[in-house]
Amino acid sequence: MTGHETEPRQTPAELQAEITREQRRLAETLDELSVQARPANIARRQIDRAKDRGTRIFDEARALVFGGGAVRVESRLVHPEEGSIVVKGDDKVVTTYQSRGQLPPEALILMAGVGTVVAVGVVAWAVRRRRK
């Protein structure tokens, strides 16, 4: 072994600077955690999550009923980055939608025909009921 293999790799000033940086980083992380852990912020996140779920369910129901322009293809849970701190329930769900495109003209004609038949049937039923 030579003499310089036993020498410290960092000087005391460099070690102190590294310790100071880590302390600052830890303090910032603790500040972020304290902000995330406030009851008002937790409640706000839960309300936002409920609104997002409600909106997503409403959009899907509307697409099923009215033949909206998009259909859900997949939903998956996104895991946080390695080393990040996550408060319980902060996972994100990413949903992929695909455009349905326009309906073919035959489908539009068929829907118009069915609508006309239903309308005529309702009118005929109302007239017949009125005569009795």
Side-chain angles (χ1 to χ4, degrees):
M1 248 196 247
T2 61
H4 24 72
E5 288 181 8
T6 60
E7 292 178 11
R9 294 186 180 146
Q10 292 180 324
T11 65
E14 290 172 336
L15 284 173
Q16 183 61 40
E18 184 178 345
I19 289 171
T20 303
R21 277 193 307 272
E22 289 300 317
Q23 286 175 338
R24 190 176 309 123
R25 190 177 65 80
L26 180 60
E28 289 171 1
T29 302
L30 290 174
D31 288 343
E32 289 174 15
L33 284 174
S34 69
V35 168
Q36 289 180 359
R38 288 186 186 141
N41 292 340
I42 293 171
R44 187 177 307 112
R45 280 195 308 272
Q46 295 297 331
I47 289 170
D48 290 345
R49 188 173 294 121
K51 285 180 184 177
D52 290 344
R53 286 180 185 153
T55 302
R56 187 172 57 244
I57 290 170
F58 176 76
D59 288 345
E60 289 176 15
R62 185 177 58 195
L64 286 172
V65 172
F66 297 113
V71 127
R72 184 177 67 178
V73 175
E74 98 176 283
S75 290
R76 61 185 165 82
L77 188 63
V78 176
H79 297 287
E81 295 178 19
E82 186 177 326
S84 62
I85 298 172
V86 179
V87 176
K88 182 179 178 184
D90 275 354
D91 297 329
K92 302 282 185 198
V93 174
V94 175
T95 303
T96 305
Y97 290 91
Q98 181 178 14
S99 176
R100 284 187 183 189
Q102 289 188 333
L103 292 174
E106 297 83 13
L108 295 174
I109 293 170
L110 179 64
M111 287 191 298
V114 169
T116 303
V117 168
V118 169
V120 168
V122 168
V123 169
W125 174 76
V127 168
R128 189 172 186 189
R129 189 169 181 204
R130 200 178 215 183
R131 288 185 182 172
K132 287 184 178 183

